[in-house]
Amino acid sequence: MAKGRAWQRMLSGRRLDLLDPTPVDVEISDIAHGLAFVARWNGQTRGDFAYSVAEHSLLVEEIFALCQPSASPRDRLAALLHDAPEYVIGDMISPVKAAVGPGYGALDARLAAAIHLRFGLPAVLPAELKRRIKRADKLSAWLEAVRIAGFSESEADRLFGRVDRDLAARFEIRLRPPRAAREAFIARFESLSALL
C-alpha cells in the first residue's frame, strides 16, 4: 500500500510538508489567503460572509495592542500570527479538537514553529506572551460568540470568561469578502514587519 501524501501544494508554488514543515516553505501570501477562506465557528455565524480566521487574527492583534500598549512590534506580530497554522489545518472548534486528541496539538505546534521561525519569532513563544495573546483571543471569542454566533452574554461569560463590557464595546466585528480580509491581513503583517 502506498504511503499517504503528507504535503500540500500552496498557491505560491511552495510544497509544505505537514509532518516536517520548514520555514523556507512558509509564505505570508499563502497564510493570508488560507486564513481568509477558513471560517470561524464552523461557518455558523450571521452575516453575508463567513467570519474568517484572518478577520479574527486581525481582531486579536488589535485587542492585544490596546491591552498591552508597551508590546513590541514583534509581540504584536506574534498575536497576528497566533492562528496561522490554520491556513493549512483549518479551524476546529474546541469540541472537535478534544475528540481528535493530542495529534492536532502536535501538528499545530510543528506548523507554528516553522511559521514563527520564518518571520523572525522564536519557534516557541515565551509562556507570558502566549498567556497575554490568549487573553486577547478569549475576548475576541466572546465578542464573536455574542455578536455573530448566537450566544447570550451569560453563556459567553461561562464559556470564555466574563469580560469588561466597556472594553468589549471598543471593538468591531468585521465581515468582509475573503479578498478584503486577505488584503487587510497582508497590510497589517507588512506594517508590523516594517517596524522590526
Side-chain angles (χ1 to χ4, degrees):
M1 179 179 272
K3 184 178 174 185
R5 177 171 65 95
W7 56 268
Q8 179 173 348
R9 173 80 56 206
M10 310 310 288
L11 287 178
S12 65
R14 299 286 188 190
R15 191 171 103 161
L16 183 68
D17 184 333
L18 299 178
L19 300 179
D20 187 22
T22 61
V24 74
D25 290 322
V26 173
E27 294 293 341
I28 196 62
S29 60
D30 293 330
I31 292 171
H33 184 81
L35 295 183
F37 281 92
V38 174
R40 295 262 300 163
W41 304 93
N42 278 350
Q44 298 301 304
T45 54
R46 297 182 189 104
D48 293 331
F49 299 102
Y51 185 69
S52 72
V53 176
E55 294 287 8
H56 164 76
S57 298
L58 288 161
L59 180 58
V60 168
E61 190 271 330
E62 181 183 355
I63 293 168
F64 177 80
L66 182 74
C67 295
Q68 307 293 324
S70 63
S72 69
R74 192 171 310 282
D75 289 350
R76 291 177 70 177
L77 181 61
L80 181 69
L81 296 173
H82 80 284
D83 277 342
E86 295 179 7
Y87 86 109
V88 287
I89 58 177
D91 180 44
M92 289 191 202
I93 59 174
S94 296
V96 174
K97 287 179 186 175
V100 169
Y104 178 88
L107 176 58
D108 183 84
R110 282 193 302 273
L111 288 164
I115 292 163
H116 290 164
L117 291 172
R118 171 67 174 87
F119 301 117
L121 301 172
V124 177
L125 298 178
E128 179 61 21
L129 176 57
K130 284 182 78 166
R131 188 180 66 73
R132 290 177 180 168
I133 293 170
K134 189 63 180 172
R135 200 165 38 220
D137 191 31
K138 283 190 168 192
L139 175 52
S140 179
W142 188 95
L143 290 165
E144 295 162 22
V146 169
R147 293 185 186 169
I148 58 172
F151 290 65
S152 69
E153 288 189 3
S154 61
E155 187 178 20
D157 286 345
R158 282 193 307 277
L159 292 170
F160 306 108
R162 186 165 171 74
V163 303
D164 177 330
R165 299 311 200 255
D166 291 332
L167 176 63
R170 297 177 73 171
F171 301 102
E172 177 186 348
I173 299 288
R174 292 178 187 90
L175 296 169
R176 297 183 270 197
R179 178 179 180 177
R182 178 181 65 222
E183 289 171 355
F185 186 92
I186 288 174
R188 190 71 195 125
F189 171 85
E190 288 175 349
S191 66
L192 289 170
S193 296
L195 299 172
L196 298 181

